[in-house]
Amino acid sequence: MGGRLAVPVIVTALEQLTEHGADAAVWRRLGRAGEQTLTAALDNPEGDALYRDQAARADAEQERRRAVEREAQRPVCKRCGSKFTDQRWEESTARGGAWTAGDLSVCGTCRADDVTREEAAAEAARLRAAASPEPEDDQDPGRGRGWFRRRLFGLNEVG
C-alpha cells in the first residue's frame, strides 16, 4: 500500500477559536463525530489497524485475481468439455508426465474411461488367446509345422 497517505481534514469556526482558544475542544475532524482538541483531531490511533485492514483487503483481492486468471488458463477436456482437476492439470503439464498421462487433451474422467477400455480390450485379447484351441501334436513326425521342424525331423530320419 505504499504511496497512500491519509491527510486529516479538520475545521472549526473562527468564533469558537476566539472564544475558547486553539487548544480547546473546538476542532472537528471530517469523518468523526463531535469536537476535539487539535492534537486529538490530528491523531490517528486506528491508522495502523486501518492500514492492516486495507492491506489485507488488497492482498485478498490480488489473490482473487490470481485465482480468476488461473481458472481462465485451466484446460478444458476436448471430449466432454469439463475443466481439468488440479491433479489432472498437473499430470498433463508435469515434466515427463506425458508418458503416464495418456491423451493430454482429455480430463481425468475421460482418461480413466480410456484406461478402462484399454484394459478391457487387453483382457478380451488375453481371453481369446487362451480360449483358442491349441493344434494337437501330429502323429506323423515327418510332417512338421515349420521349416526348422521339418529339417530337424528330416535329419533324424536320415541319420
PDB file of all heavy atoms in Angstrom, residues 88-115:
ATOM      1  N   ARG A  88      -5.204 -33.539 -12.559  1.00  0.00           N
ATOM      2  CA  ARG A  88      -5.078 -33.855 -13.987  1.00  0.00           C
ATOM      3  C   ARG A  88      -4.269 -32.794 -14.716  1.00  0.00           C
ATOM      4  O   ARG A  88      -3.460 -33.093 -15.595  1.00  0.00           O
ATOM      5  CB  ARG A  88      -6.471 -33.987 -14.624  1.00  0.00           C
ATOM      6  CG  ARG A  88      -6.435 -34.308 -16.103  1.00  0.00           C
ATOM      7  CD  ARG A  88      -5.778 -35.635 -16.392  1.00  0.00           C
ATOM      8  NE  ARG A  88      -5.783 -35.900 -17.831  1.00  0.00           N
ATOM      9  CZ  ARG A  88      -4.952 -36.718 -18.429  1.00  0.00           C
ATOM     10  NH1 ARG A  88      -4.057 -37.389 -17.731  1.00  0.00           N
ATOM     11  NH2 ARG A  88      -5.009 -36.889 -19.724  1.00  0.00           N
ATOM     12  N   TRP A  89      -4.488 -31.525 -14.330  1.00  0.00           N
ATOM     13  CA  TRP A  89      -3.732 -30.436 -14.934  1.00  0.00           C
ATOM     14  C   TRP A  89      -2.248 -30.629 -14.668  1.00  0.00           C
ATOM     15  O   TRP A  89      -1.403 -30.467 -15.544  1.00  0.00           O
ATOM     16  CB  TRP A  89      -4.234 -29.109 -14.392  1.00  0.00           C
ATOM     17  CG  TRP A  89      -3.795 -27.902 -15.149  1.00  0.00           C
ATOM     18  CD1 TRP A  89      -3.048 -27.835 -16.283  1.00  0.00           C
ATOM     19  CD2 TRP A  89      -4.086 -26.547 -14.817  1.00  0.00           C
ATOM     20  NE1 TRP A  89      -2.857 -26.532 -16.673  1.00  0.00           N
ATOM     21  CE2 TRP A  89      -3.487 -25.721 -15.785  1.00  0.00           C
ATOM     22  CE3 TRP A  89      -4.807 -25.955 -13.804  1.00  0.00           C
ATOM     23  CZ2 TRP A  89      -3.578 -24.339 -15.757  1.00  0.00           C
ATOM     24  CZ3 TRP A  89      -4.900 -24.584 -13.774  1.00  0.00           C
ATOM     25  CH2 TRP A  89      -4.289 -23.778 -14.739  1.00  0.00           C
ATOM     26  N   GLU A  90      -1.917 -30.986 -13.431  1.00  0.00           N
ATOM     27  CA  GLU A  90      -0.518 -31.218 -13.063  1.00  0.00           C
ATOM     28  C   GLU A  90       0.049 -32.395 -13.849  1.00  0.00           C
ATOM     29  O   GLU A  90       1.167 -32.330 -14.352  1.00  0.00           O
ATOM     30  CB  GLU A  90      -0.413 -31.482 -11.559  1.00  0.00           C
ATOM     31  CG  GLU A  90       0.990 -31.753 -11.075  1.00  0.00           C
ATOM     32  CD  GLU A  90       1.916 -30.562 -11.192  1.00  0.00           C
ATOM     33  OE1 GLU A  90       1.455 -29.416 -11.119  1.00  0.00           O
ATOM     34  OE2 GLU A  90       3.136 -30.780 -11.361  1.00  0.00           O
ATOM     35  N   GLU A  91      -0.723 -33.500 -13.963  1.00  0.00           N
ATOM     36  CA  GLU A  91      -0.263 -34.664 -14.722  1.00  0.00           C
ATOM     37  C   GLU A  91       0.035 -34.297 -16.173  1.00  0.00           C
ATOM     38  O   GLU A  91       0.999 -34.763 -16.751  1.00  0.00           O
ATOM     39  CB  GLU A  91      -1.340 -35.755 -14.735  1.00  0.00           C
ATOM     40  CG  GLU A  91      -1.514 -36.493 -13.451  1.00  0.00           C
ATOM     41  CD  GLU A  91      -2.718 -37.426 -13.510  1.00  0.00           C
ATOM     42  OE1 GLU A  91      -3.458 -37.422 -14.525  1.00  0.00           O
ATOM     43  OE2 GLU A  91      -2.926 -38.144 -12.523  1.00  0.00           O
ATOM     44  N   SER A  92      -0.824 -33.466 -16.738  1.00  0.00           N
ATOM     45  CA  SER A  92      -0.682 -33.168 -18.168  1.00  0.00           C
ATOM     46  C   SER A  92       0.398 -32.134 -18.450  1.00  0.00           C
ATOM     47  O   SER A  92       0.836 -32.007 -19.588  1.00  0.00           O
ATOM     48  CB  SER A  92      -2.021 -32.686 -18.740  1.00  0.00           C
ATOM     49  OG  SER A  92      -2.395 -31.460 -18.172  1.00  0.00           O
ATOM     50  N   THR A  93       0.830 -31.394 -17.437  1.00  0.00           N
ATOM     51  CA  THR A  93       1.854 -30.379 -17.678  1.00  0.00           C
ATOM     52  C   THR A  93       3.185 -30.693 -17.010  1.00  0.00           C
ATOM     53  O   THR A  93       4.171 -30.035 -17.299  1.00  0.00           O
ATOM     54  CB  THR A  93       1.379 -28.998 -17.173  1.00  0.00           C
ATOM     55  OG1 THR A  93       1.065 -29.083 -15.783  1.00  0.00           O
ATOM     56  CG2 THR A  93       0.178 -28.520 -17.958  1.00  0.00           C
ATOM     57  N   ALA A  94       3.216 -31.686 -16.115  1.00  0.00           N
ATOM     58  CA  ALA A  94       4.454 -32.002 -15.404  1.00  0.00           C
ATOM     59  C   ALA A  94       5.492 -32.550 -16.365  1.00  0.00           C
ATOM     60  O   ALA A  94       5.160 -33.261 -17.324  1.00  0.00           O
ATOM     61  CB  ALA A  94       4.189 -33.019 -14.295  1.00  0.00           C
ATOM     62  N   ARG A  95       6.729 -32.243 -16.096  1.00  0.00           N
ATOM     63  CA  ARG A  95       7.815 -32.722 -16.947  1.00  0.00           C
ATOM     64  C   ARG A  95       7.873 -34.240 -16.858  1.00  0.00           C
ATOM     65  O   ARG A  95       7.941 -34.811 -15.785  1.00  0.00           O
ATOM     66  CB  ARG A  95       9.133 -32.122 -16.464  1.00  0.00           C
ATOM     67  CG  ARG A  95      10.278 -32.509 -17.318  1.00  0.00           C
ATOM     68  CD  ARG A  95      11.542 -31.861 -16.844  1.00  0.00           C
ATOM     69  NE  ARG A  95      12.644 -32.367 -17.636  1.00  0.00           N
ATOM     70  CZ  ARG A  95      13.698 -31.668 -17.939  1.00  0.00           C
ATOM     71  NH1 ARG A  95      13.798 -30.449 -17.498  1.00  0.00           N
ATOM     72  NH2 ARG A  95      14.662 -32.177 -18.653  1.00  0.00           N
ATOM     73  N   GLY A  96       7.822 -34.892 -17.992  1.00  0.00           N
ATOM     74  CA  GLY A  96       7.840 -36.351 -18.032  1.00  0.00           C
ATOM     75  C   GLY A  96       6.480 -36.965 -17.762  1.00  0.00           C
ATOM     76  O   GLY A  96       6.314 -38.164 -17.854  1.00  0.00           O
ATOM     77  N   GLY A  97       5.491 -36.166 -17.407  1.00  0.00           N
ATOM     78  CA  GLY A  97       4.168 -36.688 -17.093  1.00  0.00           C
ATOM     79  C   GLY A  97       3.403 -37.146 -18.306  1.00  0.00           C
ATOM     80  O   GLY A  97       2.459 -37.915 -18.193  1.00  0.00           O
ATOM     81  N   ALA A  98       3.797 -36.687 -19.472  1.00  0.00           N
ATOM     82  CA  ALA A  98       3.081 -37.049 -20.690  1.00  0.00           C
ATOM     83  C   ALA A  98       3.165 -38.558 -20.948  1.00  0.00           C
ATOM     84  O   ALA A  98       2.279 -39.125 -21.568  1.00  0.00           O
ATOM     85  CB  ALA A  98       3.624 -36.279 -21.879  1.00  0.00           C
ATOM     86  N   TRP A  99       4.206 -39.209 -20.460  1.00  0.00           N
ATOM     87  CA  TRP A  99       4.351 -40.651 -20.677  1.00  0.00           C
ATOM     88  C   TRP A  99       3.254 -41.413 -19.952  1.00  0.00           C
ATOM     89  O   TRP A  99       2.766 -42.423 -20.441  1.00  0.00           O
ATOM     90  CB  TRP A  99       5.708 -41.134 -20.189  1.00  0.00           C
ATOM     91  CG  TRP A  99       6.811 -40.609 -21.029  1.00  0.00           C
ATOM     92  CD1 TRP A  99       7.671 -39.601 -20.716  1.00  0.00           C
ATOM     93  CD2 TRP A  99       7.176 -41.033 -22.344  1.00  0.00           C
ATOM     94  NE1 TRP A  99       8.533 -39.363 -21.744  1.00  0.00           N
ATOM     95  CE2 TRP A  99       8.249 -40.242 -22.762  1.00  0.00           C
ATOM     96  CE3 TRP A  99       6.693 -42.000 -23.206  1.00  0.00           C
ATOM     97  CZ2 TRP A  99       8.845 -40.398 -23.992  1.00  0.00           C
ATOM     98  CZ3 TRP A  99       7.299 -42.144 -24.435  1.00  0.00           C
ATOM     99  CH2 TRP A  99       8.366 -41.356 -24.818  1.00  0.00           C
ATOM    100  N   THR A 100       2.874 -40.939 -18.768  1.00  0.00           N
ATOM    101  CA  THR A 100       1.860 -41.645 -17.981  1.00  0.00           C
ATOM    102  C   THR A 100       0.495 -40.984 -18.065  1.00  0.00           C
ATOM    103  O   THR A 100      -0.489 -41.589 -17.680  1.00  0.00           O
ATOM    104  CB  THR A 100       2.287 -41.695 -16.498  1.00  0.00           C
ATOM    105  OG1 THR A 100       2.458 -40.359 -16.023  1.00  0.00           O
ATOM    106  CG2 THR A 100       3.573 -42.473 -16.329  1.00  0.00           C
ATOM    107  N   ALA A 101       0.432 -39.770 -18.568  1.00  0.00           N
ATOM    108  CA  ALA A 101      -0.829 -39.033 -18.573  1.00  0.00           C
ATOM    109  C   ALA A 101      -1.740 -39.429 -19.721  1.00  0.00           C
ATOM    110  O   ALA A 101      -2.912 -39.102 -19.714  1.00  0.00           O
ATOM    111  CB  ALA A 101      -0.561 -37.529 -18.621  1.00  0.00           C
ATOM    112  N   GLY A 102      -1.223 -40.127 -20.717  1.00  0.00           N
ATOM    113  CA  GLY A 102      -2.056 -40.522 -21.845  1.00  0.00           C
ATOM    114  C   GLY A 102      -2.394 -39.326 -22.711  1.00  0.00           C
ATOM    115  O   GLY A 102      -1.584 -38.430 -22.903  1.00  0.00           O
ATOM    116  N   ASP A 103      -3.627 -39.325 -23.231  1.00  0.00           N
ATOM    117  CA  ASP A 103      -4.093 -38.232 -24.093  1.00  0.00           C
ATOM    118  C   ASP A 103      -4.186 -36.958 -23.260  1.00  0.00           C
ATOM    119  O   ASP A 103      -4.993 -36.868 -22.343  1.00  0.00           O
ATOM    120  CB  ASP A 103      -5.454 -38.594 -24.685  1.00  0.00           C
ATOM    121  CG  ASP A 103      -5.940 -37.563 -25.684  1.00  0.00           C
ATOM    122  OD1 ASP A 103      -5.251 -36.537 -25.869  1.00  0.00           O
ATOM    123  OD2 ASP A 103      -7.005 -37.792 -26.277  1.00  0.00           O
ATOM    124  N   LEU A 104      -3.354 -35.967 -23.572  1.00  0.00           N
ATOM    125  CA  LEU A 104      -3.285 -34.748 -22.763  1.00  0.00           C
ATOM    126  C   LEU A 104      -4.453 -33.807 -22.995  1.00  0.00           C
ATOM    127  O   LEU A 104      -4.587 -32.810 -22.296  1.00  0.00           O
ATOM    128  CB  LEU A 104      -1.972 -34.006 -23.054  1.00  0.00           C
ATOM    129  CG  LEU A 104      -0.700 -34.800 -22.772  1.00  0.00           C
ATOM    130  CD1 LEU A 104       0.518 -33.963 -23.112  1.00  0.00           C
ATOM    131  CD2 LEU A 104      -0.646 -35.258 -21.338  1.00  0.00           C
ATOM    132  N   SER A 105      -5.307 -34.116 -23.952  1.00  0.00           N
ATOM    133  CA  SER A 105      -6.420 -33.218 -24.252  1.00  0.00           C
ATOM    134  C   SER A 105      -7.717 -33.638 -23.568  1.00  0.00           C
ATOM    135  O   SER A 105      -8.740 -33.013 -23.776  1.00  0.00           O
ATOM    136  CB  SER A 105      -6.636 -33.134 -25.761  1.00  0.00           C
ATOM    137  OG  SER A 105      -7.089 -34.388 -26.254  1.00  0.00           O
ATOM    138  N   VAL A 106      -7.671 -34.713 -22.763  1.00  0.00           N
ATOM    139  CA  VAL A 106      -8.888 -35.168 -22.086  1.00  0.00           C
ATOM    140  C   VAL A 106      -8.736 -35.060 -20.581  1.00  0.00           C
ATOM    141  O   VAL A 106      -7.632 -35.111 -20.047  1.00  0.00           O
ATOM    142  CB  VAL A 106      -9.267 -36.615 -22.486  1.00  0.00           C
ATOM    143  CG1 VAL A 106      -9.588 -36.710 -23.948  1.00  0.00           C
ATOM    144  CG2 VAL A 106      -8.188 -37.595 -22.098  1.00  0.00           C
ATOM    145  N   CYS A 107      -9.892 -34.927 -19.903  1.00  0.00           N
ATOM    146  CA  CYS A 107      -9.903 -34.785 -18.443  1.00  0.00           C
ATOM    147  C   CYS A 107      -9.627 -36.133 -17.776  1.00  0.00           C
ATOM    148  O   CYS A 107      -9.530 -37.168 -18.439  1.00  0.00           O
ATOM    149  CB  CYS A 107     -11.255 -34.237 -17.979  1.00  0.00           C
ATOM    150  SG  CYS A 107     -12.628 -35.375 -18.237  1.00  0.00           S
ATOM    151  N   GLY A 108      -9.519 -36.122 -16.461  1.00  0.00           N
ATOM    152  CA  GLY A 108      -9.229 -37.343 -15.705  1.00  0.00           C
ATOM    153  C   GLY A 108     -10.296 -38.402 -15.871  1.00  0.00           C
ATOM    154  O   GLY A 108      -9.992 -39.593 -15.976  1.00  0.00           O
ATOM    155  N   THR A 109     -11.561 -38.013 -15.899  1.00  0.00           N
ATOM    156  CA  THR A 109     -12.651 -38.976 -16.046  1.00  0.00           C
ATOM    157  C   THR A 109     -12.591 -39.647 -17.413  1.00  0.00           C
ATOM    158  O   THR A 109     -12.699 -40.873 -17.517  1.00  0.00           O
ATOM    159  CB  THR A 109     -14.003 -38.274 -15.865  1.00  0.00           C
ATOM    160  OG1 THR A 109     -14.016 -37.619 -14.594  1.00  0.00           O
ATOM    161  CG2 THR A 109     -15.155 -39.254 -15.945  1.00  0.00           C
ATOM    162  N   CYS A 110     -12.410 -38.854 -18.464  1.00  0.00           N
ATOM    163  CA  CYS A 110     -12.306 -39.430 -19.809  1.00  0.00           C
ATOM    164  C   CYS A 110     -11.046 -40.291 -19.923  1.00  0.00           C
ATOM    165  O   CYS A 110     -11.054 -41.334 -20.585  1.00  0.00           O
ATOM    166  CB  CYS A 110     -12.319 -38.329 -20.868  1.00  0.00           C
ATOM    167  SG  CYS A 110     -13.925 -37.509 -21.005  1.00  0.00           S
ATOM    168  N   ARG A 111      -9.960 -39.881 -19.287  1.00  0.00           N
ATOM    169  CA  ARG A 111      -8.725 -40.667 -19.288  1.00  0.00           C
ATOM    170  C   ARG A 111      -8.962 -41.996 -18.575  1.00  0.00           C
ATOM    171  O   ARG A 111      -8.527 -43.043 -19.046  1.00  0.00           O
ATOM    172  CB  ARG A 111      -7.593 -39.878 -18.622  1.00  0.00           C
ATOM    173  CG  ARG A 111      -6.316 -40.676 -18.426  1.00  0.00           C
ATOM    174  CD  ARG A 111      -5.659 -41.053 -19.731  1.00  0.00           C
ATOM    175  NE  ARG A 111      -4.465 -41.832 -19.452  1.00  0.00           N
ATOM    176  CZ  ARG A 111      -4.102 -42.895 -20.145  1.00  0.00           C
ATOM    177  NH1 ARG A 111      -4.802 -43.278 -21.169  1.00  0.00           N
ATOM    178  NH2 ARG A 111      -3.023 -43.558 -19.817  1.00  0.00           N
ATOM    179  N   ALA A 112      -9.682 -41.968 -17.450  1.00  0.00           N
ATOM    180  CA  ALA A 112      -9.988 -43.208 -16.733  1.00  0.00           C
ATOM    181  C   ALA A 112     -10.847 -44.124 -17.602  1.00  0.00           C
ATOM    182  O   ALA A 112     -10.651 -45.340 -17.614  1.00  0.00           O
ATOM    183  CB  ALA A 112     -10.698 -42.890 -15.419  1.00  0.00           C
ATOM    184  N   ASP A 113     -11.790 -43.549 -18.344  1.00  0.00           N
ATOM    185  CA  ASP A 113     -12.599 -44.344 -19.274  1.00  0.00           C
ATOM    186  C   ASP A 113     -11.716 -44.987 -20.336  1.00  0.00           C
ATOM    187  O   ASP A 113     -11.909 -46.154 -20.690  1.00  0.00           O
ATOM    188  CB  ASP A 113     -13.670 -43.476 -19.940  1.00  0.00           C
ATOM    189  CG  ASP A 113     -14.750 -43.028 -18.974  1.00  0.00           C
ATOM    190  OD1 ASP A 113     -14.833 -43.592 -17.863  1.00  0.00           O
ATOM    191  OD2 ASP A 113     -15.509 -42.100 -19.338  1.00  0.00           O
ATOM    192  N   ASP A 114     -10.741 -44.219 -20.858  1.00  0.00           N
ATOM    193  CA  ASP A 114      -9.814 -44.754 -21.858  1.00  0.00           C
ATOM    194  C   ASP A 114      -9.019 -45.924 -21.285  1.00  0.00           C
ATOM    195  O   ASP A 114      -8.866 -46.963 -21.934  1.00  0.00           O
ATOM    196  CB  ASP A 114      -8.842 -43.677 -22.342  1.00  0.00           C
ATOM    197  CG  ASP A 114      -9.502 -42.608 -23.188  1.00  0.00           C
ATOM    198  OD1 ASP A 114     -10.667 -42.806 -23.596  1.00  0.00           O
ATOM    199  OD2 ASP A 114      -8.857 -41.565 -23.432  1.00  0.00           O
ATOM    200  N   VAL A 115      -8.517 -45.757 -20.071  1.00  0.00           N
ATOM    201  CA  VAL A 115      -7.728 -46.812 -19.432  1.00  0.00           C
ATOM    202  C   VAL A 115      -8.587 -48.057 -19.227  1.00  0.00           C
ATOM    203  O   VAL A 115      -8.155 -49.175 -19.495  1.00  0.00           O
ATOM    204  CB  VAL A 115      -7.134 -46.316 -18.090  1.00  0.00           C
ATOM    205  CG1 VAL A 115      -6.543 -47.458 -17.291  1.00  0.00           C
ATOM    206  CG2 VAL A 115      -6.072 -45.252 -18.348  1.00  0.00           C
TER     207      VAL A 115
END
